[in-house]
Amino acid sequence: MSEFKSGFISIIGRPNVGKSTFLNRVIGQKIAIMSDKPQTTRNKVQGVLTQDDAQMIFIDTPGIHKPKHKLGEFMSKVSKNALREVDAIMFMVNAQQKLGTGDRYVIDMLKGTKTPVFLIINKIDAIHPDEVLKIVDQYKDEFDFAEIIPISALQGNNVDNLLTTLKKYLPEGPQYYPADQVTDHPERFIIAELIREKALHLTRDEVPHSIAVEIEKIRREEDKDRVHVMATIIIERESQKGIIIGKRGAMLKEIGTRARKDIENLLGSKVYLELWVKVQKDWRDRSSQLRDYGYRDDEY
């Protein structure tokens, strides 16, 4: 009988390199929110991939950057802590971006670690194949990577090869989670993230990352065979409230319609989604409100 392998793998990198896209690809469903804006992921998200001979637990982290507020400090701390006590580290870079100070900042963080570090060159679908070798040569001089693997998380190119290679580095171990479990986050966390994703996507540059989502209630209505979800979208300024609500409530309705589809896929049930909007001035710089919205220092 072949041995069963299991282990924890951190995915780190600069903002917007495709960490969440990769996680959603390998897990096979949406548990990490995706946006073309940097700084979408705020908490670490554990995605669980169970195969016949292995279980890989991926930890998606906020993009590493210089913090500008308490929320930024929290996100930076989460990313650094995710490097501890893991079996492998995936350092993901964007093939379309040149090696810069942000990448070197991450590489400096990795120096001294005894954990195998994989360089994952993502978004290779967006560049000419000849460019990949140039990128490999640039990074090889910066750090002694255990493996260098180019992929396209969006299209799935070379992702299976990456998973096979990762498996070789994992120790023999137990199955930590049931085979059908894909994340260790509770439903309300994922539901809040799905709503936040739609709000970010639809408002784009008008409302930057001052959006949080608080789930007020999740209740299954057995008589109607549906789940009633009540959530509040938190913003920092009164001027942002009008943008989120939109003309005659059109924007809020569209956020709700799109989020409801994803929530129904997640819960496998019809969903009645009720959305409210509330202004909490400067919440990103207030420790108590960060804790209220799920950003807890004591968990990391």
Side-chain angles (χ1 to χ4, degrees), residues 14-17 38 92-100 103 121-123 127 135 138-139:
R14 284 163 63 188
N16 206 24
V17 294
M92 190 173 285
V93 299
N94 182 346
Q96 296 172 284
Q97 294 174 342
K98 285 188 166 64
L99 189 155
D103 297 302
I121 303 168
N122 190 23
K123 308 192 184 185
I127 62 166
I135 298 167
Q138 277 185 322
Y139 278 91

Side-chain angles (χ1 to χ4, degrees), residues 69-89:
H69 39 60
K70 275 192 170 34
L71 175 59
E73 288 169 15
F74 170 85
M75 291 158 69
S76 182
K77 188 175 177 182
V78 168
S79 294
K80 289 173 182 175
N81 286 353
L83 300 179
R84 298 179 194 160
E85 296 175 13
V86 290
D87 301 290
I89 296 166

Side-chain angles (χ1 to χ4, degrees), residues 40-109:
T40 305
T41 305
R42 287 179 181 164
N43 271 287
K44 64 178 183 181
V45 176
Q46 276 189 192
V48 184
L49 174 64
T50 305
Q51 299 176 330
D52 291 340
D53 58 349
Q55 187 171 76
M56 299 181 228
I57 299 110
F58 292 96
I59 301 168
D60 177 23
T61 59
I64 294 171
H65 66 298
K66 194 171 181 181
K68 294 179 182 170
H69 39 60
K70 275 192 170 34
L71 175 59
E73 288 169 15
F74 170 85
M75 291 158 69
S76 182
K77 188 175 177 182
V78 168
S79 294
K80 289 173 182 175
N81 286 353
L83 300 179
R84 298 179 194 160
E85 296 175 13
V86 290
D87 301 290
I89 296 166
M90 288 171 51
F91 170 36
M92 190 173 285
V93 299
N94 182 346
Q96 296 172 284
Q97 294 174 342
K98 285 188 166 64
L99 189 155
T101 53
D103 297 302
R104 289 194 171 93
Y105 177 69
V106 180
I107 288 168
D108 281 343
M109 277 174 50

Side-chain angles (χ1 to χ4, degrees), residues 187-189 191-193 195 212-220 227-235 263 272-280 292-293:
E187 276 177 355
R188 64 175 47 231
F189 171 85
I191 290 169
E193 287 290 89
I195 295 167
V213 176
E214 194 169 28
I215 303 297
E216 311 285 353
K217 179 172 72 177
I218 301 175
R219 189 180 74 231
R220 185 167 288 279
V227 178
H228 181 187
V229 177
M230 189 188 293
T232 302
I233 297 173
I234 315 287
I235 66 274
I263 297 166
Y272 170 57
L273 177 61
E274 202 177 339
L275 289 181
W276 302 85
V277 182
K278 184 166 75 175
V279 178
Q280 290 280 17
D292 287 346
Y293 304 146

Side-chain angles (χ1 to χ4, degrees), residues 17-236:
V17 294
K19 300 183 293 293
S20 297
T21 307
F22 169 80
L23 189 62
N24 291 335
R25 158 76 57 181
V26 297
I27 301 308
Q29 71 182 70
K30 185 178 281 189
I31 59 167
I33 77 168
M34 296 184 293
S35 165
D36 55 3
K37 294 181 182 180
Q39 298 314 324
T40 305
T41 305
R42 287 179 181 164
N43 271 287
K44 64 178 183 181
V45 176
Q46 276 189 192
V48 184
L49 174 64
T50 305
Q51 299 176 330
D52 291 340
D53 58 349
Q55 187 171 76
M56 299 181 228
I57 299 110
F58 292 96
I59 301 168
D60 177 23
T61 59
I64 294 171
H65 66 298
K66 194 171 181 181
K68 294 179 182 170
H69 39 60
K70 275 192 170 34
L71 175 59
E73 288 169 15
F74 170 85
M75 291 158 69
S76 182
K77 188 175 177 182
V78 168
S79 294
K80 289 173 182 175
N81 286 353
L83 300 179
R84 298 179 194 160
E85 296 175 13
V86 290
D87 301 290
I89 296 166
M90 288 171 51
F91 170 36
M92 190 173 285
V93 299
N94 182 346
Q96 296 172 284
Q97 294 174 342
K98 285 188 166 64
L99 189 155
T101 53
D103 297 302
R104 289 194 171 93
Y105 177 69
V106 180
I107 288 168
D108 281 343
M109 277 174 50
L110 292 169
K111 284 175 180 169
T113 182
K114 294 182 171 64
T115 306
V117 179
F118 284 42
L119 175 67
I120 310 301
I121 303 168
N122 190 23
K123 308 192 184 185
I124 57 167
D125 54 295
I127 62 166
H128 191 279
D130 293 348
E131 295 297 310
V132 176
L133 288 174
K134 294 178 188 172
I135 298 167
V136 169
D137 286 341
Q138 277 185 322
Y139 278 91
K140 266 200 321 202
D141 294 338
E142 299 285 333
F143 190 84
D144 184 20
F145 294 101
E147 303 280 351
I148 298 177
I149 302 177
I151 68 163
S152 167
L154 187 65
Q155 297 187 355
N157 305 0
N158 215 27
V159 169
D160 286 344
N161 174 46
L162 166 57
L163 294 175
T164 302
T165 308
L166 267 173
K167 209 183 295 184
K168 293 175 187 171
Y169 285 79
L170 298 183
E172 200 173 337
Q175 186 176 307
Y176 292 98
Y177 296 96
D180 59 352
Q181 186 170 339
V182 295
T183 183
D184 69 341
H185 275 300
E187 276 177 355
R188 64 175 47 231
F189 171 85
I190 301 170
I191 290 169
E193 287 290 89
L194 292 174
I195 295 167
R196 190 165 69 91
E197 176 186 49
K198 304 311 174 197
L200 280 172
H201 180 71
L202 287 165
T203 57
R204 304 208 48 90
D205 299 328
E206 296 172 280
V207 182
H209 289 271
S210 50
I211 296 173
V213 176
E214 194 169 28
I215 303 297
E216 311 285 353
K217 179 172 72 177
I218 301 175
R219 189 180 74 231
R220 185 167 288 279
E221 299 174 337
E222 300 295 351
D223 56 326
K224 294 178 181 172
D225 192 29
R226 70 177 183 184
V227 178
H228 181 187
V229 177
M230 189 188 293
T232 302
I233 297 173
I234 315 287
I235 66 274
E236 285 188 313

